[in-house]
Amino acid sequence: MYSYDREVPMKAVSVRELKNNPSSALRAAREDPVMVLNRHQPEAVLVHLSDDSLLNEPGVRQAIATSLFRDGSLSLGLAARFSGLEVANFIAHVSRLGIPVVSGTAESVRDDAKSVERWRSDSS
């Protein structure tokens, strides 16, 4: 469990170093968090996710999955799986946050629904 009142060892890399050798920064992040500096100012922190203690903190998996789904980086199914929620519960979760589950125009959504219906009838 992460304790925020303890001193956390941290390494630092510049944006240029990260760009030139990202695998080195990722290897370093396996040991300790890595601060990414842009013109000597903190820009980001790399935390390796092999340490499950961060992902096991309450709400962290849901927050990451929600953000990645909202930004279009994860599909609904993958986001739900990563969050640890059933798809229906993840839909309810993002809906409460005002994040649309279905995107596109009304016409494209109708077309998608028709395609799903055709697929379902062809596969039965």
Side-chain angles (χ1 to χ4, degrees):
M1 183 136 141
Y2 276 81
S3 173
Y4 301 104
D5 59 348
R6 68 179 170 93
E7 198 169 307
V8 177
M10 190 173 295
K11 297 178 176 139
V13 298
S14 68
V15 170
R16 181 177 295 202
E17 290 170 313
L18 180 61
K19 180 181 174 188
N20 290 337
N21 195 353
S23 56
S24 174
L26 290 174
R27 277 193 304 277
R30 284 188 184 116
E31 302 299 320
D32 296 308
V34 175
M35 176 71 66
V36 180
L37 302 173
N38 187 1
R39 299 177 190 198
H40 305 291
Q41 296 298 315
E43 183 83 9
V45 176
L46 297 175
V47 179
H48 202 277
L49 294 180
S50 64
D51 178 5
D52 281 342
S53 62
L54 175 64
L55 291 178
N56 289 331
E57 287 290 317
V60 170
R61 282 185 167 274
Q62 284 184 18
I64 292 171
T66 301
S67 178
L68 292 172
F69 173 72
R70 182 194 62 226
D71 296 343
S73 298
L74 282 184
S75 69
L76 178 64
L78 287 175
R81 186 178 314 149
F82 181 78
S83 73
L85 297 174
E86 297 290 327
V87 174
N89 292 337
F90 188 76
I91 289 171
H93 166 70
V94 296
S95 295
R96 280 191 300 274
L97 297 173
I99 299 169
V101 175
V102 178
S103 60
T105 65
E107 183 178 343
S108 69
V109 171
R110 277 193 295 276
D111 289 344
D112 289 346
K114 287 177 187 175
S115 296
V116 168
E117 284 302 316
R118 280 195 303 272
W119 174 78
R120 289 180 67 193
S121 64
D122 290 346
S123 60
S124 38

